[in-house]
Amino acid sequence: MDEERDECGPVAFIVLASLLRKAQGTPAAVTPPHTCPRSFPQRCYLPADMHVLSVDNKENLMMNQQPTKYTVITGASAGIGAAAARAFAARGQNLVLIARRTERLNALRAEILAAHPTLDIIVKTADLSITEHVIPLYEEVKALPIGTWINNAGFGSYGIVGAQELGKITQMIHLNIETLTVLSTLFVRDFADTAGAQLINISSVGGYQIVPTVVTYCATKFYVSAFTEGLAHELRARGAKLRAKLLAPAATQTEFGAVANDNPA
């Protein structure tokens, strides 16, 4: 995609603006969709505790969030998910933390409650790469007054296409694409007319350009980017109060590389 496009202006496309400035030592312009830098940053790893800004700088990830609301985060046990939990908790948001690793979720819950003892923090253990777990999980939490839903759960896999382990990439496709789509659809169905509600889907710089040896992962993130951009336009066109947003981080200090290389913690 060599041509720059302006039609994504209404989309609340999120980038790591402030930390990119610090890491590079020079002012970094916020880049809209489909005009991301061509070189994938392999050596500059940014911390997961980040400050993220929307492209128009009029709203950030905490927009219109009332203290009584809940923020639901999938993949909350580490990395960007855990960082998001800490950030929303610091702004008075109750939390629903979802991931496979109960011990890590409980440790994160204890850490946040030590700093913010008045919050309600709910832990839900679920492997969302298993299709049958997704809808029941949503049904368990949908009655809460949810202000933000963050679809962060996902993982990558390194290797050329012909040498991929089929079981792993099938699980990755289920989690990165299918689960995100189902949860997004259910949240839009129930919260489209809720004032201040927001859906935040986690994509990647790899969702705007193909990276060698991570082709299938990038393809899943291309889907996340296209789906969320399209959903954002659709919601605005129908006058919905819910906003769909996209976070597309570059290389970040998380467990991503270890999992992609089959060395999870």
Side-chain angles (χ1 to χ4, degrees):
M1 307 201 61
D2 294 323
E3 121 181 41
E4 295 189 359
R5 302 183 350 187
D6 296 326
E7 66 266 35
C8 292
V11 179
F13 177 74
I14 317 294
V15 293
L16 308 180
S18 63
L19 282 182
L20 281 173
R21 293 190 188 98
K22 294 178 182 178
Q24 296 172 353
T26 55
V30 176
T31 310
H34 307 293
T35 61
C36 293
R38 296 295 174 185
S39 58
F40 190 79
Q42 298 287 352
R43 298 179 183 174
C44 180
Y45 287 84
L46 305 177
D49 286 312
M50 61 192 70
H51 176 61
V52 287
L53 299 174
S54 64
V55 66
D56 59 8
N57 290 320
K58 293 178 182 177
E59 56 188 356
N60 59 29
L61 295 186
M62 319 306 173
M63 110 177 175
N64 295 333
Q65 294 304 293
Q66 301 170 7
T68 56
K69 296 287 188 178
Y70 283 78
T71 294
V72 179
I73 306 170
T74 69
S77 60
I80 290 173
R86 296 183 185 100
F88 278 87
R91 288 156 178 80
Q93 297 298 296
N94 296 317
L95 301 172
V96 179
L97 307 178
I98 304 167
R100 293 175 296 112
R101 297 174 290 188
T102 307
E103 184 177 342
R104 288 205 177 189
L105 289 176
N106 286 335
L108 179 61
R109 179 179 184 275
E111 173 198 326
I112 294 174
L113 284 176
H116 310 285
T118 63
L119 296 183
D120 182 26
I121 302 179
I122 300 169
V123 166
K124 294 285 185 181
T125 303
D127 184 349
L128 295 179
S129 68
I130 299 174
T131 304
E132 292 75 16
H133 293 177
V134 177
I135 294 178
L137 180 281
Y138 180 82
E139 294 293 328
E140 290 178 12
V141 302
K142 71 176 185 179
L144 294 169
I146 300 172
T148 299
W149 188 290
I150 304 176
N151 283 316
N152 171 69
F155 68 91
S157 181
Y158 292 142
I160 61 174
V161 171
Q164 294 181 119
E165 200 281 302
L166 293 180
K168 184 178 182 181
I169 63 167
T170 299
Q171 183 184 27
M172 180 179 70
I173 291 168
H174 280 315
L175 183 59
N176 293 12
I177 295 179
E178 184 178 350
T179 294
L180 178 140
T181 305
V182 170
L183 290 175
S184 296
T185 300
L186 292 170
F187 188 65
V188 169
R189 185 175 299 168
D190 291 338
F191 290 86
D193 295 319
T194 300
Q198 55 183 351
L199 170 70
I200 301 171
N201 285 335
I202 308 302
S203 181
S204 167
V205 167
Y208 292 96
Q209 58 186 11
I210 294 296
V211 181
T213 75
V214 204
V215 171
T216 306
Y217 168 75
C218 287
T220 70
K221 292 304 184 177
F222 265 75
Y223 173 85
V224 173
S225 298
F227 172 77
T228 309
E229 288 182 19
L231 175 59
H233 282 292
E234 179 184 292
L235 290 169
R236 287 183 181 274
R238 62 185 267 200
K241 296 176 181 178
L242 172 68
R243 290 291 177 261
K245 304 180 182 182
L246 190 67
L247 176 64
T252 308
Q253 291 174 352
T254 69
E255 298 174 346
F256 177 89
V259 174
N261 280 313
D262 297 315
N263 295 307

